[in-house]
Amino acid sequence: MAKSKHESSENGAEVAGRLAVRKTYKLYIGGAFPRSESGRSYPVTDPSGTLLAHAAQGSRKDLRDAVTAARKAFAGWSGATAYNRGQVLYRIAEMMEGRREQFVAEVRAAEGGSADEAAAQVDAAIDRWVWYAGWSDKYAQVVGGSNPVAGPYFNFSLPEPSGVVGIVAPQESSLLGFVSVVAPALTTGNTVVVLASSERPLPAVSLTEALATSDLPGGVLNLLTGSVAELAPWLAGHRDVNCLDLTGVEPADRVPLARAAADTVKRVLAPAPLDLAAEPGMSRLAAFVETKTVWHPLGV
């Protein structure tokens, strides 16, 4: 059967006189989708070398804007109730579920492999949002607690978010790895500036489109695409970034970034390679919180 004039081919090429509507992939800063202030972009290809799109090449100025947005959003996000944060994170899972087929297609285009493999990654990413959403109002009971003391006092240890967390997302996993490093930082009340995979950024950009309609306040998560080698040193040295997650940086390249972070006494997470098949565990929930100890007299 012949295709109608309104039908397009699978690769988005012109069919029956209709021009395809090409998607413009942008940054996500402060709840908006700006192009890079530098005006630069770079080609993103699939594993076979076929051009998929052009992504924005983020700059130092874009990074500064993202940190400013994250700092501005921190008070509201960290001050929200843990239950409310969990509801917002669960809403992200709902949005992804509704756009599941789009994410499957984008992950498959970015990483290759079969449709079933891509679908498994998308399903795992959705499930991971749900898992962390469920921990939002429970993790404090695990990592905090009441301490025994020799005196007429109550003594409590309470976890609090550290602030703005800079994250270099895993480079090989376009979506599941991204969610695995971003979700726990958000769950504990931090705001985030994240550098997406340089070669596979498109699923992460599409995820921010879901975030924009998921009740997540603008500025809580800010996404930059482009060269990790160019942007990571500025992220590590920025004085208003409180913590640095180097999951997506090769071990040999972590040392200069850790040194830059040390100048502003940042907490640095430089973990072993992320095992995406393993259960998330509690380690990342505790990675970017500060423990506040409170003494309170009995009977007051």
Side-chain angles (χ1 to χ4, degrees), residues 31 34 58 83-84 87 145 147 154 164 173 187 189 193 202 206 221 228 278 296-297:
Y83 175 81
N84 179 256
Q87 292 295 101
N147 308 312
F154 290 116
V164 176
S173 179
T187 299
V193 176
L202 305 188
S206 290
L221 184 145
V228 169
H296 196 282

Side-chain angles (χ1 to χ4, degrees), residues 44-53 108-112 199-200:
V44 178
T45 63
D46 66 13
S48 68
T50 301
L51 179 68
L52 296 174
R108 188 180 185 190
E111 301 182 18
E199 296 183 0
R200 302 171 176 181

Side-chain angles (χ1 to χ4, degrees), residues 8 21 41 74 88 93 97 150 204 207 210 266 297:
S8 60
V21 179
S41 64
F74 176 71
V88 172
E97 187 73 36
L207 174 57
K266 287 182 179 63

Side-chain angles (χ1 to χ4, degrees), residues 38-80:
S38 68
R40 297 178 299 168
S41 64
Y42 69 102
V44 178
T45 63
D46 66 13
S48 68
T50 301
L51 179 68
L52 296 174
H54 285 79
Q57 177 79 49
S59 68
R60 181 185 179 186
K61 173 63 166 57
D62 296 321
L63 190 145
R64 292 202 305 268
D65 291 344
V67 173
T68 298
R71 177 58 63 192
K72 183 177 180 180
F74 176 71
W77 182 243
S78 63

